[in-house]
Amino acid sequence: MKDILTEQEIQQLRAETRGTEKTIHFNNAGSSLPPNAVVDTVIDYLYEEAQNGGYETEYTYREELENTYSLISRLINARKDEIAIVENASTGWWLAFNGIDFKPDDEIITCEMEYVTNLIGLLHAQKTLGVKFKVIPNDEHGNFQLKAFEEAIGPKTKLIAVTHIPSTAGGMIPVVEIGKIARKHNILYLLDACQSVGHVPLDVEEIGCDMLAVTGRKYLRAPRGTGFLYVRKEVQDKLKLFFMDGFTTQWVTETDFKPRDDARRFEVYEKNRALTLGLGKAVEYALNLGVERTWQRVQHLAGLLREKLKEVNGVTVHDFGNQLCGIVTFSVDGTDAATVKNKLAERHINVSVGKAVSTLIYMNKNHLSNIVRASVHYYNTEEEIAILCEVLKGTIGEAV
Ligand SMILES: Cc1ncc(COP(=O)(O)O)c(C=O)c1O
């Protein structure tokens, strides 16, 4: 058990985050408040580019830019040559998924909490390639059914594609146990870790996934428009490439070329260097704190928030399952989620609306339409939780 964040550290972390001065931010599952160091890194780099030129600045910061890959690989216990920096989780996921050489009747197994973008990908593959996919529902308590999952595997199963932490619920799925099943049956394993990176400790070796798609702006506290894709070394050659340029592919002769020998083959040359550095700074920040430590604080705050919300008349908390995370979802009797969000925003409290479409299978099954999503991060406080609940009580009293 790692030591927990002290009160003094939390105050320090808040002092290092401008946004906490005026805003109570419970929309970390949307996009976290970044540390000042991340914002300053991006802005300073842009100024330097404007002053000295883009290529020249890149040359000056070549080691720091390169170090972003090392930092990411440390964060998820991967190798540096298994990391591609991309703009967001969707790009990473689609690059990996559509890289797979599917044949008609190949099967994919997924979970009921799979994210909309990924489900669209699965449906698209079904329509265009004749691939089939099976959705394994959670049990009546909201827990992932490992046995049913393994039983669904057949000779045609080509891929396991699941979302670690869903966008509209506080439950998590057992990614390590799923990885063991994937290895046992020798099936490719694609994990959407968009909501989990920086939130819970992630170790791709322990999980045993082959591909992992991540975004920067959520629990990692990196700038918007950042993300990365992990592809296990042995799998890289098996995936088709969509884009190739002189950076991702090398000329062998005038009539032949060869993709790079690392995951950067999935990137393209031109990208926002300032954001890459900002992403690196956010990863460094997370590593310095230790995700094991911050995860304990997130669990404590989310548990407290669920408890306090249950004490508010008219509020129903909707997080199911034994393994819960920092995303807390609820609804308010007689008031739609957007109205609750707007009322809280008037008091500088940010929550978001978890849209049914984001995890349609899960939401339909549980008869949920849009819900309120209050996602806590380690820099939130008990006091902020108390204020949220007080404001909610007042809001319900107003019968909005
Ligand atoms: C679980 C999950 N997967 C994927 C995504 C897509 O991430 P991005 O917007 O970075 O592409 C989201 C976005 O909210 C998400 O919650």
Side-chain angles (χ1 to χ4, degrees):
M1 182 99 162
K2 297 271 178 180
D3 54 327
I4 55 168
L5 291 174
T6 64
E7 196 46 47
Q8 202 185 356
E9 275 177 288
I10 290 153
Q11 288 318 317
Q12 179 60 32
L13 293 167
R14 290 175 66 79
E16 290 171 10
T17 306
R18 291 182 190 96
T20 59
E21 282 167 25
K22 295 210 173 97
T23 307
I24 297 183
H25 192 67
F26 289 125
N27 188 13
N28 297 292
S31 186
S32 282
L33 299 175
N36 300 345
V38 169
V39 182
D40 296 347
T41 297
V42 176
I43 292 173
D44 291 350
Y45 188 91
L46 287 175
Y47 275 123
E48 213 162 316
E49 271 189 339
Q51 189 68 38
N52 298 328
Y55 286 81
E56 293 73 12
T57 305
E58 178 180 6
Y59 185 73
T60 308
Y61 286 90
R62 62 193 179 285
E63 282 173 17
E64 287 87 344
L65 286 161
E66 185 62 29
N67 193 36
T68 300
Y69 293 88
S70 309
L71 291 164
I72 293 171
S73 63
R74 268 177 58 205
L75 183 73
I76 61 166
N77 190 25
R79 289 164 38 159
K80 194 173 136 194
D81 59 2
E82 295 177 319
I83 307 298
I85 293 180
V86 293
E87 292 86 353
N88 49 57
S90 301
T91 303
W93 192 94
W94 272 71
L95 282 169
F97 178 77
N98 288 296
I100 299 170
D101 187 22
F102 287 115
K103 301 274 185 292
D105 294 331
D106 277 347
E107 286 175 7
I108 304 167
I109 309 185
T110 189
C111 59
E112 70 172 40
M113 303 231 184
E114 193 64 355
Y115 186 64
V116 52
T117 309
N118 314 350
L119 278 176
I120 290 171
L122 301 187
L123 276 170
H124 183 253
Q126 187 179 58
K127 282 181 197 286
T128 56
L129 304 171
V131 165
K132 300 191 170 99
F133 70 92
K134 295 179 189 167
V135 181
I136 308 302
N138 287 346
D139 69 13
E140 70 273 24
H141 307 294
N143 290 316
F144 188 82
Q145 304 197 70
L146 273 171
K147 193 163 172 286
F149 195 81
E150 184 162 10
E151 282 167 3
I153 293 174
K156 294 269 186 193
T157 310
K158 181 112 170 197
L159 176 72
I160 290 171
V162 288
T163 295
H164 189 187
I165 294 182
S167 133
T168 56
M172 299 191 287
I173 61 167
V175 287
V176 174
E177 286 72 15
I178 293 171
K180 286 185 185 143
I181 294 175
R183 291 280 74 78
K184 182 170 147 194
H185 297 273
N186 197 21
I187 295 167
L188 282 174
Y189 179 13
L190 168 57
L191 183 62
D192 176 334
C194 183
Q195 291 288 0
S196 38
V197 69
H199 186 166
V200 299
L202 282 183
D203 178 332
V204 290
E205 282 307 315
E206 190 192 6
I207 296 170
C209 56
D210 297 298
M211 298 152 285
L212 178 116
V214 157
T215 213
R217 72 185 182 279
K218 297 181 188 285
Y219 277 83
L220 203 46
R221 307 183 66 197
R224 292 198 68 170
T226 58
F228 64 87
L229 169 68
Y230 156 82
V231 183
R232 185 178 295 283
K233 188 82 185 100
E234 304 81 66
V235 172
Q236 290 173 13
D237 277 340
K238 294 186 187 154
L239 300 185
K240 290 177 283 179
L241 297 172
F242 294 100
F243 307 105
M244 289 184 219
D245 64 18
F247 165 79
T248 60
T249 307
Q250 292 140 10
W251 287 113
V252 179
T253 64
E254 278 193 18
T255 54
D256 201 8
F257 61 85
K258 164 169 151 316
R260 281 178 68 115
D261 197 22
D262 62 17
R264 283 182 233 185
R265 62 172 64 184
F266 301 107
E267 300 184 4
V268 283
Y269 166 72
E270 180 54 9
K271 59 165 68 74
N272 189 322
R273 267 64 177 167
L275 292 184
T276 300
L277 267 197
L279 172 65
K281 189 51 89 178
V283 174
E284 186 178 47
Y285 200 86
L287 284 168
N288 286 344
L289 277 170
V291 181
E292 296 83 4
R293 296 182 76 216
T294 54
W295 168 223
Q296 285 184 51
R297 165 117 182 129
V298 168
Q299 284 173 290
H300 160 70
L301 290 175
L304 181 71
L305 177 55
R306 287 193 188 97
E307 217 174 275
K308 296 284 170 203
L309 282 173
K310 284 177 189 162
E311 289 167 10
V312 180
N313 272 336
V315 168
T316 310
V317 177
H318 296 296
D319 302 321
F320 311 112
N322 293 333
Q323 280 194 301
L324 297 179
C325 66
I327 297 178
V328 178
T329 60
F330 61 95
S331 51
V332 176
D333 285 352
T335 310
D336 66 87
T339 307
V340 175
K341 172 183 175 276
N342 293 340
K343 285 278 167 194
L344 292 170
E346 285 170 14
R347 304 289 294 272
H348 306 286
I349 302 172
N350 295 344
V351 295
S352 53
V353 174
K355 297 200 180 82
V357 70
S358 297
T359 49
L360 201 59
I361 299 173
Y362 160 79
M363 296 292 268
N364 281 349
K365 180 182 149 183
N366 291 294
H367 312 291
L368 294 169
S369 55
N370 297 344
I371 35 113
V372 187
R373 183 179 70 175
S375 42
V376 299
H377 214 329
Y378 57 79
Y379 57 74
N380 289 123
T381 63
E382 283 91 347
E383 196 195 349
E384 289 181 327
I385 288 174
I387 296 172
L388 168 69
C389 292
E390 276 314 304
V391 174
L392 268 177
K393 278 181 200 159
T395 306
I396 293 167
E398 279 173 25
V400 287

